[in-house]
């Protein structure tokens, strides 16, 4: 096998067109990024950097907060006696509104390390349509059995207890019988704790847009135990509603005393940033890897020619005379094109990410931050994506023998489904199936856009979401890249060279 591999690599590197094609694939990927993204005059206004959560992910962290400082162990207990909202009417006149709550409108109590956006926290909350929840550090969400929207006749009681760095959440329907939800860690000595309200924008699934929302909650008298200091203070964390919407025209965040309790109004969200309508003017890792499909086509063309050229020039007989085991010849060719394609893909991706970030910031666009391990997976995954596609292309060349026919078949099963699904030219259902069954599923390995059940958005291929997880999508492509060489090996053994 070593001898066959050396022979095939020698063939590849000594043909100038193939080597130039490999280099051209990397350059094409990067150049497409440069011409396919915005220029600095398309978005002249400055966009603030997105807050970053404890895990390195981009987050929304904007809410109305009535708070005090908790310096040690202690607890906060409060009933939520009402949760109402106002929505901008997308079908009405300008500035028209309607009463209602977005499903993830939130009103509750929170212990937060400090008032800096993105700092660790633990919160127990009533929601517009998902009952009482406990959430912490943006990406973690736990449901409870207490459902419905709180009201004066059916308040929802919430409690947070801090013991050292551990914060435990509880809920109750009557303020007497309590159920523990979970315990989580919130670092820090003196933390901020109190009442909060926020309301993400209403997502219009049909038009893939969103409209502002505002929520108002009534809280009964807060009961405190432990080491508290300072008086109650109000802060609009984030200075507005952040990237998850805005206040309904005519409404603002604020609070007022209401008997022994408070009435608090807010908008925004405390949650990870996802794609879709809520993303706004921000670039993602996927944006920076947009040139991959151009590089994939070039690599595919090179791989096809690497297999068909010997048919065209009548040299396959000489190759098989030197290495009679035909499966070994095909395996050596596959290893060569896979290695070249992986290098091209990973190198182009590694260059595209910092280049794309620099370009986005120069154009005054925010960049959606993702953890380093997610970026590394996208870079290496791009290499694997091109490697598997190159093996598929090589196999198609052996099966079909003609370069034009094999290249057309490759584009039909990889690039075309990708463009149809993510370009919004198909309904979500058929687009999803294309990205489950065709080799285009492999592009999922580049996806870093998060998907969370506690963040409402439009999770469809047209908004950048693949139906399969990253490695699952690559596994579909890998299956194609295994079956195609198996078929090609069978045909190569049975067919006259």
């Amino acid at each position: 096998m070593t001898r066959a591999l050396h022979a095939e690599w020698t063939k590849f590197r000594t043909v100038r067109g193939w080597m130039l094609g490999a280099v051209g694939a990397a350059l094409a990927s990067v150049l497409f990024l440069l011409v396919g993204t915005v220029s600095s005059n398309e978005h002249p206004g400055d966009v603030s950097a997105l807050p970053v959560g404890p895990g390195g992910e981009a987050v929304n962290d904007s809410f109305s907060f009535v708070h005090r400082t908790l310096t040690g162990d202690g607890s906060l207990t409060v009933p939520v006696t009402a949760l109402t909202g106002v929505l901008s009417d997308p079908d009405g006149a300008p500035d028209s509104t309607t009463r209602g709550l977005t499903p993830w409108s939130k009103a509750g109590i929170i212990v937060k390390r400090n008032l800096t956006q993105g700092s660790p926290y633990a919160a127990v909350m009533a929601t517009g349509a998902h009952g009482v929840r406990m959430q912490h550090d943006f990406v973690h969400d736990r449901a409870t059995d207490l459902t419905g929207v709180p009201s004066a006749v059916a308040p929802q009681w919430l409690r947070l207890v801090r013991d050292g760095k551990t914060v435990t959440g509880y809920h109750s329907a009557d303020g007497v019988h309590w159920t523990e939800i979970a315990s989580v860690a919130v670092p820090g000595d003196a933390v901020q704790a109190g009442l909060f309200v926020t309301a993400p924008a209403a997502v219009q699934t049909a038009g893939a847009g969103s409209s502002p929302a505002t929520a108002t909650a009534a809280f009964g008298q807060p009961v405190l135990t432990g080491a508290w200091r300072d008086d109650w203070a109000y802060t609009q964390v984030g200075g507005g509603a952040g990237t998850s919407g805005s206040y309904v025209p005519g409404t603002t965040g604020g609070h007022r005393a209401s008997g022994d309790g408070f009435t608090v109004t807010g908008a925004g969200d405390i949650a990870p940033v996802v794609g879709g309508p809520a993303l706004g003017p921000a670039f993602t890792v996927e944006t920076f890897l947009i040139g991959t499909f151009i590089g994939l086509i070039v690599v595919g063309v090179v791989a096809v020619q690497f297999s068909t050229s010997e048919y065209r020039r009548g040299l396959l007989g000489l190759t098989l005379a030197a290495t009679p085991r035909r499966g070994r010849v095909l395996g050596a060719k596959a290893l060569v094109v896979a290695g070249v394609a992986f290098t091209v893909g990973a190198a182009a991706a590694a260059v595209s990410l910092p280049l794309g970030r620099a370009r986005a910031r120069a154009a005054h666009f925010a960049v959606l931050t993702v953890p380093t391990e997610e970026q590394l997976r996208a870079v290496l995954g791009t290499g694997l994506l091109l490697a598997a596609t190159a093996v598929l292309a090589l196999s198609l060349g052996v099966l079909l023998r003609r370069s034009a026919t094999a290249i057309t078949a490759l584009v039909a099963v990889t690039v075309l489904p990708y463009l149809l699904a993510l370009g919004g030219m198909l309904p979500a259902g058929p687009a999803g199936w294309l990205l489950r069954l065709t080799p285009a599923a492999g592009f999922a390995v580049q996806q870093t856009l998060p998907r969370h059940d506690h963040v409402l958005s439009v999770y469809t291929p047209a908004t950048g979401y693949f139906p399969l997880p990253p490695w699952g999508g690559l596994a579909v492509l890998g299956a194609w890249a295994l079956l195609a060489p198996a078929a090609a090996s069978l045909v190569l053994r049975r067919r006259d060279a």
Side-chain angles (χ1 to χ4, degrees):
M1 185 63 180
T2 302
R3 182 179 177 183
L5 185 61
H6 181 268
E8 295 303 326
W9 168 240
T10 301
K11 290 178 189 177
F12 189 93
R13 67 181 177 83
T14 53
V15 176
R16 181 179 300 177
W18 294 342
M19 292 298 294
L20 290 177
V23 175
L27 292 176
S29 299
V30 176
L31 290 175
F32 191 85
L33 165 68
L34 295 178
V35 301
T37 54
V38 298
S39 61
S40 59
N41 61 2
E42 289 179 345
H43 193 77
D46 290 328
V47 175
S48 300
L50 298 173
V52 178
E57 63 284 321
V59 299
N60 288 308
D61 198 9
S62 301
F63 56 98
S64 290
F65 193 19
V66 178
H67 58 96
R68 292 180 64 176
T69 303
L70 178 58
T71 59
D73 296 345
S75 69
L76 168 60
T77 304
V78 68
V80 183
T81 60
L83 178 57
T84 59
V86 180
L87 308 175
S88 289
D89 186 353
D91 299 320
D95 296 337
S96 63
T97 62
T98 182
R99 296 181 63 83
L101 285 168
T102 53
W104 284 104
S105 295
K106 303 169 184 177
I109 54 178
I110 186 171
V111 172
K112 190 168 173 64
R113 182 172 186 176
N114 52 49
L115 298 178
T116 302
Q117 289 183 291
S119 63
Y121 75 93
V124 179
M125 66 202 70
T127 65
H130 297 284
V132 172
R133 322 285 293 196
M134 183 170 180
Q135 297 179 354
H136 77 280
D137 292 354
F138 304 95
V139 299
H140 303 288
D141 170 64
R142 292 176 177 84
T144 72
D145 58 3
L146 190 55
T147 60
V149 178
S151 65
V153 297
Q156 294 175 349
W157 292 75
L158 313 175
R159 176 179 288 170
L160 288 173
V161 178
R162 186 183 190 224
D163 182 7
K165 300 298 187 292
T166 301
V167 176
T168 303
Y170 300 84
H171 71 83
S172 172
D174 57 13
V176 177
H177 303 92
W178 291 89
T179 300
E180 180 178 332
I181 307 171
S183 295
V184 300
V186 178
D189 296 322
V191 297
Q192 297 299 311
L195 321 175
F196 78 95
V197 174
T198 190
V203 175
Q204 311 301 327
T205 56
S210 61
S211 54
T214 303
T216 299
F219 296 90
Q221 181 180 9
V223 177
L224 309 177
T225 66
W228 296 78
R229 75 177 188 213
D230 305 328
D231 293 328
W232 290 107
Y234 172 79
T235 299
Q236 174 67 61
V237 175
T243 59
S244 65
S246 61
Y247 278 93
V248 172
T251 66
T252 59
H255 81 295
R256 60 181 174 84
S258 179
D260 294 329
F262 296 94
T263 298
V264 184
T265 298
D269 204 0
I270 310 173
V273 175
V274 300
L279 186 56
F283 276 6
T284 66
V285 168
E286 290 86 335
T287 308
F288 304 147
L289 298 178
I290 193 172
T292 297
F293 77 94
I294 298 296
L296 181 144
I297 294 174
V298 178
V299 164
V301 169
V302 172
V304 166
Q305 291 180 342
F306 188 47
S307 62
T308 60
S309 62
E310 292 191 83
Y311 285 110
R312 186 171 65 253
R313 296 172 182 173
L315 299 177
L316 184 59
L318 295 177
T319 297
L320 296 179
T323 309
R325 299 182 66 175
R326 299 187 176 195
R328 183 171 293 181
V329 172
L330 182 60
K333 287 181 178 291
L335 286 175
V336 168
V337 295
V340 171
F342 177 83
T343 303
V344 167
V351 171
S352 294
L353 292 192
L355 184 63
R357 281 192 291 268
R359 183 169 174 78
R361 287 165 182 157
H364 309 293
F365 272 74
V367 176
L368 182 61
T369 305
V370 297
T372 302
E373 57 270 21
E374 291 290 306
Q375 299 183 48
L376 180 61
R377 188 255 299 153
V379 169
L380 296 179
T382 299
L384 293 173
L385 168 65
L386 265 65
T389 303
V391 172
L392 175 60
L394 178 84
S395 303
L396 289 173
V398 173
L399 290 168
L400 301 174
R401 290 196 176 192
R402 296 182 179 276
S403 296
T405 306
I407 292 169
T408 301
L410 179 70
V411 171
V413 298
T414 55
V415 177
L416 186 59
Y418 173 82
L419 295 176
L420 289 175
L422 274 73
M425 290 175 272
L426 292 175
W433 283 109
L434 271 182
L435 297 178
R436 287 185 180 95
L437 301 176
T438 69
F443 283 94
V445 77
Q446 297 180 323
Q447 179 164 294
T448 61
L449 282 173
R451 178 172 183 164
H452 295 280
D453 291 338
H454 62 286
V455 183
L456 186 63
S457 188
V458 182
Y459 296 109
T460 65
T463 57
Y465 284 91
F466 287 78
L468 297 175
W471 295 119
L474 187 64
V476 172
L477 173 60
W480 280 80
L482 289 175
L483 292 174
S489 179
L490 181 62
V491 169
L492 186 61
R493 287 189 178 99
R494 296 184 175 183
R495 191 165 56 188
D496 183 25

